[in-house]
Amino acid sequence: ILSIISFLLGLSTKESAIVTPALILLFDIYFISDKAENFKSRLKYHLPFWVIIAAGFFYYAGYITRPAMYDRPWQTHILTELKVFVEYLKLLILPLNLNIDHHIKASMTLDPSVIVSMVVISGLLLSAIFLKNRNKVLSFSILWFFINLTPFLTIRLEDYMAERWVYSASIGFSLGISEALITLYLRYKKIGISVIIFILISLGILTHIRNGVYISPVTLWADAARKSPEKARPYINLCASYVEKKEVDKAIKICSAAIERGSRHAETYLNLATAYFFKDDLNNAEKVYLAMPNVKGIRINKEVMEAYHYNLASVYKRKKEYNKAIEEYEKMLKIKPQSTAPLALIGECYI
């Protein structure tokens, strides 16, 4: 009962927890079941998890087949994700060029990179089958890795790749590497110890270097912008980081670069206008705000509009154009009638 409750809580927190029943089943088959009869006696314990999955599938089926925002052809999605799975493996084996916001070129056909990825994945899965009776831990590790990544084949998210998505899959990778190192140590003690020390020192150094990138939002997003220059989001977030630090000239430069790269995110324009506001360049701030709703393809939701009207009103208020400021605060109040802040600000304008 506790495990089922934990599974439900996991699903409510992160949808990729849907693989948990498959992992439990895999663990049972590999490390608990000695005979088929033993496994059959425990099927009743596995069943509730699969019933929950079936119910969840029917509930989310429409979203999976017709996602609201990030629709792309299934062929493109699956071929690109297969390529990404191998990219994850490369990063786990040699964690260089780590990036908080990877740019992955979509593969619409069986290009060479996809073919190589399919060969690698097929080879690993065949190895898992071959090793099942020879080395259960290695076989289990390979299957654990790929089972944890399967949700990303079926749900089309905005990004193709994110390092955080491989965290749970990397448990299988780590287990497999540990098993390989133990085997090496038992056969060749000195070589095994040397390899383990080398790995620990290398990964320790790389971790220390990476920590230097994570020391602040500016260094983190500057690193991402350098490694993914084709993507707008690193520039958007770098701009926001500069705005937060009140380094307005840098913020203006980065936001302008994001817009030049085709950013249609409302946050880019809000950050750019805010930077002009902090610089006391109120005319340019107003110009950006007024142009923002007319940008073709811009994504604007309720929260963005609330911030938009508040910020534009702040510009008018500082310019002492109080009637215009009141109009914007009233628009903000229509979006969020229960908010008292617009009323107080309207009162200030009348004063």
Side-chain angles (χ1 to χ4, degrees):
I1 291 170
L2 287 174
S3 66
I4 292 167
I5 293 170
S6 297
F7 176 50
L8 287 168
L9 292 172
L11 275 178
S12 303
T13 308
K14 189 77 171 173
E15 292 89 338
S16 55
I18 198 168
V19 299
T20 303
L23 297 174
I24 294 171
L25 187 65
L26 184 73
F27 188 86
D28 193 339
I29 292 168
Y30 267 74
F31 303 115
I32 300 176
S33 298
D34 297 318
K35 297 177 182 178
E37 291 76 20
N38 292 344
F39 176 69
K40 287 178 182 177
S41 67
R42 283 196 302 282
L43 280 175
K44 60 181 178 288
Y45 298 115
H46 289 278
L47 187 60
F49 295 95
W50 294 97
V51 169
I52 292 168
I53 283 183
F57 176 79
F58 283 112
Y59 183 79
Y60 285 108
Y63 175 76
I64 293 169
T65 54
R66 294 182 298 279
M69 293 176 65
Y70 307 114
D71 199 5
R72 62 175 73 99
W74 277 110
Q75 178 179 316
T76 301
H77 176 75
I78 291 171
L79 292 178
T80 308
E81 283 300 324
L82 291 175
K83 186 170 65 175
V84 166
F85 289 2
V86 176
E87 285 296 316
Y88 286 141
L89 275 172
K90 284 164 61 179
L91 286 178
L92 288 167
I93 294 167
L94 196 63
L96 299 174
N97 290 319
L98 297 175
N99 186 356
I100 196 172
D101 200 357
H102 286 269
H103 173 71
I104 300 295
K105 186 178 179 182
S107 292
M108 290 172 278
T109 58
L110 285 170
D111 58 53
S113 60
V114 174
I115 293 169
V116 170
S117 299
M118 291 174 75
V119 169
V120 171
I121 292 168
S122 299
L124 286 169
L125 292 174
L126 288 171
S127 298
I129 296 168
F130 175 77
L131 289 168
K132 186 178 184 300
N133 296 321
R134 292 169 176 81
N135 191 316
K136 282 189 174 183
V137 175
L138 275 178
S139 177
F140 174 83
S141 301
I142 295 168
L143 294 176
W144 174 286
F145 179 84
F146 286 110
I147 288 172
N148 272 282
L149 292 177
T150 50
F152 301 103
L153 279 176
T154 57
I155 298 177
R156 292 168 284 185
L157 301 171
E158 180 180 8
D159 294 304
Y160 284 111
M161 178 179 182
E163 289 168 9
R164 64 186 182 278
W165 294 346
V166 80
Y167 289 166
S168 57
S170 69
I171 295 171
F173 176 85
S174 301
L175 184 64
I177 291 294
S178 299
E179 177 68 11
L181 290 172
I182 289 167
T183 303
L184 179 65
Y185 171 80
L186 292 174
R187 292 184 181 179
Y188 310 100
K189 191 171 183 179
K190 290 183 179 178
I191 295 174
I193 291 172
S194 301
V195 170
I196 290 168
I197 291 171
F198 173 77
I199 289 173
L200 289 173
I201 292 172
S202 300
L203 294 183
I205 292 170
L206 289 172
T207 300
H208 178 73
I209 293 169
R210 189 64 181 161
N211 284 345
V213 174
Y214 269 82
I215 201 166
S216 76
V218 169
T219 54
L220 178 63
W221 290 109
D223 176 76
R226 181 173 57 82
K227 291 173 179 173
S228 300
E230 303 90 345
K231 293 190 80 170
R233 185 166 51 204
Y235 291 92
I236 295 168
N237 291 340
L238 180 57
C239 175
S241 302
Y242 279 130
V243 168
E244 191 175 332
K245 291 184 71 176
K246 304 292 177 66
E247 296 184 24
V248 291
D249 289 328
K250 290 179 179 178
I252 290 167
K253 181 181 177 182
I254 295 298
C255 280
S256 300
I259 291 169
E260 287 171 12
R261 282 168 170 77
S263 171
R264 294 295 176 266
H265 291 267
E267 290 83 357
T268 313
Y269 293 86
L270 291 175
N271 287 331
L272 178 58
T274 302
Y276 280 125
F277 182 82
F278 285 147
K279 196 178 180 180
D280 214 25
D281 188 347
L282 301 179
N283 290 331
N284 268 325
E286 180 185 3
K287 185 178 176 182
V288 172
Y289 282 128
L290 293 177
M292 180 180 142
N294 300 317
V295 175
K296 189 176 180 180
I298 195 166
R299 303 169 186 171
I300 298 178
N301 57 28
K302 185 178 177 181
E303 288 74 20
V304 167
M305 285 309 297
E306 185 183 351
Y308 171 83
H309 291 304
Y310 173 82
N311 291 354
L312 182 54
S314 299
V315 171
Y316 287 138
K317 189 180 175 190
R318 186 175 286 188
K319 290 177 75 175
K320 298 185 179 181
E321 297 179 13
Y322 297 115
N323 286 328
K324 289 183 178 179
I326 289 169
E327 286 179 16
E328 296 304 320
Y329 286 132
E330 285 176 344
K331 289 175 184 177
M332 180 183 166
L333 195 60
K334 286 180 182 178
I335 294 170
K336 202 171 183 179
Q338 72 274 23
S339 177
T340 56
L343 292 170
L345 293 165
I346 289 169
E348 288 180 16
C349 289
Y350 281 124
I351 290 169

PDB file of all heavy atoms in Angstrom, residues 310 329 332-333 336 338-348:
ATOM      1  N   TYR A 310       1.587  46.277 -15.728  1.00  0.00           N
ATOM      2  CA  TYR A 310       2.226  46.863 -14.541  1.00  0.00           C
ATOM      3  C   TYR A 310       3.487  47.625 -14.935  1.00  0.00           C
ATOM      4  O   TYR A 310       3.706  48.767 -14.498  1.00  0.00           O
ATOM      5  CB  TYR A 310       2.560  45.760 -13.530  1.00  0.00           C
ATOM      6  CG  TYR A 310       3.369  46.258 -12.357  1.00  0.00           C
ATOM      7  CD1 TYR A 310       2.739  46.885 -11.281  1.00  0.00           C
ATOM      8  CD2 TYR A 310       4.754  46.121 -12.323  1.00  0.00           C
ATOM      9  CE1 TYR A 310       3.474  47.355 -10.203  1.00  0.00           C
ATOM     10  CE2 TYR A 310       5.494  46.597 -11.251  1.00  0.00           C
ATOM     11  CZ  TYR A 310       4.856  47.213 -10.201  1.00  0.00           C
ATOM     12  OH  TYR A 310       5.577  47.692  -9.141  1.00  0.00           O
ATOM     13  N   TYR A 329      -2.986  50.391 -15.093  1.00  0.00           N
ATOM     14  CA  TYR A 329      -3.279  49.732 -13.811  1.00  0.00           C
ATOM     15  C   TYR A 329      -4.702  49.155 -13.810  1.00  0.00           C
ATOM     16  O   TYR A 329      -4.953  48.094 -13.244  1.00  0.00           O
ATOM     17  CB  TYR A 329      -3.101  50.711 -12.649  1.00  0.00           C
ATOM     18  CG  TYR A 329      -1.659  51.029 -12.320  1.00  0.00           C
ATOM     19  CD1 TYR A 329      -1.246  52.352 -12.148  1.00  0.00           C
ATOM     20  CD2 TYR A 329      -0.704  50.016 -12.180  1.00  0.00           C
ATOM     21  CE1 TYR A 329       0.073  52.656 -11.830  1.00  0.00           C
ATOM     22  CE2 TYR A 329       0.611  50.315 -11.876  1.00  0.00           C
ATOM     23  CZ  TYR A 329       1.000  51.632 -11.701  1.00  0.00           C
ATOM     24  OH  TYR A 329       2.302  51.926 -11.402  1.00  0.00           O
ATOM     25  N   MET A 332      -4.673  45.983 -15.634  1.00  0.00           N
ATOM     26  CA  MET A 332      -4.076  44.965 -14.749  1.00  0.00           C
ATOM     27  C   MET A 332      -5.126  44.467 -13.756  1.00  0.00           C
ATOM     28  O   MET A 332      -5.215  43.272 -13.458  1.00  0.00           O
ATOM     29  CB  MET A 332      -2.893  45.597 -14.020  1.00  0.00           C
ATOM     30  CG  MET A 332      -2.146  44.683 -13.068  1.00  0.00           C
ATOM     31  SD  MET A 332      -0.843  45.619 -12.225  1.00  0.00           S
ATOM     32  CE  MET A 332      -0.442  44.461 -10.908  1.00  0.00           C
ATOM     33  N   LEU A 333      -5.953  45.389 -13.279  1.00  0.00           N
ATOM     34  CA  LEU A 333      -6.989  45.042 -12.307  1.00  0.00           C
ATOM     35  C   LEU A 333      -8.051  44.139 -12.919  1.00  0.00           C
ATOM     36  O   LEU A 333      -8.601  43.260 -12.252  1.00  0.00           O
ATOM     37  CB  LEU A 333      -7.620  46.319 -11.764  1.00  0.00           C
ATOM     38  CG  LEU A 333      -8.472  46.212 -10.498  1.00  0.00           C
ATOM     39  CD1 LEU A 333      -7.642  45.671  -9.343  1.00  0.00           C
ATOM     40  CD2 LEU A 333      -9.043  47.583 -10.143  1.00  0.00           C
ATOM     41  N   LYS A 336      -6.644  40.673 -12.828  1.00  0.00           N
ATOM     42  CA  LYS A 336      -6.575  40.110 -11.477  1.00  0.00           C
ATOM     43  C   LYS A 336      -7.412  40.977 -10.535  1.00  0.00           C
ATOM     44  O   LYS A 336      -6.869  41.797  -9.783  1.00  0.00           O
ATOM     45  CB  LYS A 336      -5.104  40.043 -11.027  1.00  0.00           C
ATOM     46  CG  LYS A 336      -4.839  39.034  -9.936  1.00  0.00           C
ATOM     47  CD  LYS A 336      -3.334  38.888  -9.723  1.00  0.00           C
ATOM     48  CE  LYS A 336      -3.046  37.827  -8.673  1.00  0.00           C
ATOM     49  NZ  LYS A 336      -1.577  37.659  -8.479  1.00  0.00           N
ATOM     50  N   GLN A 338      -8.900  40.498  -7.799  1.00  0.00           N
ATOM     51  CA  GLN A 338      -8.745  40.365  -6.343  1.00  0.00           C
ATOM     52  C   GLN A 338      -7.483  41.060  -5.818  1.00  0.00           C
ATOM     53  O   GLN A 338      -7.273  41.155  -4.609  1.00  0.00           O
ATOM     54  CB  GLN A 338      -8.704  38.869  -5.952  1.00  0.00           C
ATOM     55  CG  GLN A 338      -7.435  38.124  -6.334  1.00  0.00           C
ATOM     56  CD  GLN A 338      -7.480  37.593  -7.760  1.00  0.00           C
ATOM     57  OE1 GLN A 338      -8.220  38.101  -8.591  1.00  0.00           O
ATOM     58  NE2 GLN A 338      -6.684  36.578  -8.043  1.00  0.00           N
ATOM     59  N   SER A 339      -6.663  41.583  -6.721  1.00  0.00           N
ATOM     60  CA  SER A 339      -5.413  42.205  -6.306  1.00  0.00           C
ATOM     61  C   SER A 339      -5.660  43.625  -5.805  1.00  0.00           C
ATOM     62  O   SER A 339      -6.373  44.412  -6.426  1.00  0.00           O
ATOM     63  CB  SER A 339      -4.425  42.229  -7.479  1.00  0.00           C
ATOM     64  OG  SER A 339      -3.244  42.898  -7.112  1.00  0.00           O
ATOM     65  N   THR A 340      -5.037  43.947  -4.672  1.00  0.00           N
ATOM     66  CA  THR A 340      -5.181  45.302  -4.111  1.00  0.00           C
ATOM     67  C   THR A 340      -4.076  46.237  -4.599  1.00  0.00           C
ATOM     68  O   THR A 340      -4.228  47.465  -4.522  1.00  0.00           O
ATOM     69  CB  THR A 340      -5.153  45.254  -2.568  1.00  0.00           C
ATOM     70  OG1 THR A 340      -3.937  44.615  -2.157  1.00  0.00           O
ATOM     71  CG2 THR A 340      -6.336  44.483  -2.023  1.00  0.00           C
ATOM     72  N   ALA A 341      -2.956  45.665  -5.106  1.00  0.00           N
ATOM     73  CA  ALA A 341      -1.816  46.490  -5.522  1.00  0.00           C
ATOM     74  C   ALA A 341      -2.194  47.521  -6.585  1.00  0.00           C
ATOM     75  O   ALA A 341      -1.833  48.703  -6.452  1.00  0.00           O
ATOM     76  CB  ALA A 341      -0.675  45.602  -6.005  1.00  0.00           C
ATOM     77  N   PRO A 342      -2.935  47.135  -7.660  1.00  0.00           N
ATOM     78  CA  PRO A 342      -3.292  48.139  -8.677  1.00  0.00           C
ATOM     79  C   PRO A 342      -4.109  49.295  -8.093  1.00  0.00           C
ATOM     80  O   PRO A 342      -3.943  50.449  -8.499  1.00  0.00           O
ATOM     81  CB  PRO A 342      -4.109  47.339  -9.694  1.00  0.00           C
ATOM     82  CG  PRO A 342      -3.725  45.919  -9.484  1.00  0.00           C
ATOM     83  CD  PRO A 342      -3.416  45.799  -8.036  1.00  0.00           C
ATOM     84  N   LEU A 343      -4.992  48.973  -7.123  1.00  0.00           N
ATOM     85  CA  LEU A 343      -5.803  50.024  -6.509  1.00  0.00           C
ATOM     86  C   LEU A 343      -4.922  51.034  -5.776  1.00  0.00           C
ATOM     87  O   LEU A 343      -5.108  52.255  -5.895  1.00  0.00           O
ATOM     88  CB  LEU A 343      -6.815  49.402  -5.538  1.00  0.00           C
ATOM     89  CG  LEU A 343      -7.931  48.567  -6.161  1.00  0.00           C
ATOM     90  CD1 LEU A 343      -8.713  47.823  -5.082  1.00  0.00           C
ATOM     91  CD2 LEU A 343      -8.859  49.443  -6.989  1.00  0.00           C
ATOM     92  N   ALA A 344      -3.951  50.517  -5.045  1.00  0.00           N
ATOM     93  CA  ALA A 344      -3.038  51.402  -4.313  1.00  0.00           C
ATOM     94  C   ALA A 344      -2.238  52.277  -5.269  1.00  0.00           C
ATOM     95  O   ALA A 344      -2.032  53.475  -5.036  1.00  0.00           O
ATOM     96  CB  ALA A 344      -2.096  50.564  -3.450  1.00  0.00           C
ATOM     97  N   LEU A 345      -1.796  51.671  -6.391  1.00  0.00           N
ATOM     98  CA  LEU A 345      -1.011  52.426  -7.362  1.00  0.00           C
ATOM     99  C   LEU A 345      -1.850  53.454  -8.099  1.00  0.00           C
ATOM    100  O   LEU A 345      -1.371  54.568  -8.402  1.00  0.00           O
ATOM    101  CB  LEU A 345      -0.378  51.432  -8.366  1.00  0.00           C
ATOM    102  CG  LEU A 345       0.685  50.519  -7.756  1.00  0.00           C
ATOM    103  CD1 LEU A 345       0.987  49.343  -8.671  1.00  0.00           C
ATOM    104  CD2 LEU A 345       1.964  51.291  -7.468  1.00  0.00           C
ATOM    105  N   ILE A 346      -3.111  53.131  -8.373  1.00  0.00           N
ATOM    106  CA  ILE A 346      -4.032  54.106  -8.979  1.00  0.00           C
ATOM    107  C   ILE A 346      -4.211  55.285  -8.016  1.00  0.00           C
ATOM    108  O   ILE A 346      -4.197  56.465  -8.416  1.00  0.00           O
ATOM    109  CB  ILE A 346      -5.389  53.454  -9.310  1.00  0.00           C
ATOM    110  CG1 ILE A 346      -5.226  52.489 -10.492  1.00  0.00           C
ATOM    111  CG2 ILE A 346      -6.443  54.506  -9.616  1.00  0.00           C
ATOM    112  CD1 ILE A 346      -6.425  51.587 -10.746  1.00  0.00           C
ATOM    113  N   GLY A 347      -4.339  54.972  -6.723  1.00  0.00           N
ATOM    114  CA  GLY A 347      -4.455  56.013  -5.705  1.00  0.00           C
ATOM    115  C   GLY A 347      -3.238  56.936  -5.691  1.00  0.00           C
ATOM    116  O   GLY A 347      -3.376  58.167  -5.607  1.00  0.00           O
ATOM    117  N   GLU A 348      -2.058  56.347  -5.827  1.00  0.00           N
ATOM    118  CA  GLU A 348      -0.825  57.151  -5.878  1.00  0.00           C
ATOM    119  C   GLU A 348      -0.835  58.095  -7.073  1.00  0.00           C
ATOM    120  O   GLU A 348      -0.394  59.246  -6.985  1.00  0.00           O
ATOM    121  CB  GLU A 348       0.392  56.245  -5.918  1.00  0.00           C
ATOM    122  CG  GLU A 348       0.695  55.544  -4.608  1.00  0.00           C
ATOM    123  CD  GLU A 348       1.920  54.649  -4.695  1.00  0.00           C
ATOM    124  OE1 GLU A 348       2.699  54.812  -5.665  1.00  0.00           O
ATOM    125  OE2 GLU A 348       2.113  53.800  -3.810  1.00  0.00           O
TER     126      GLU A 348
END
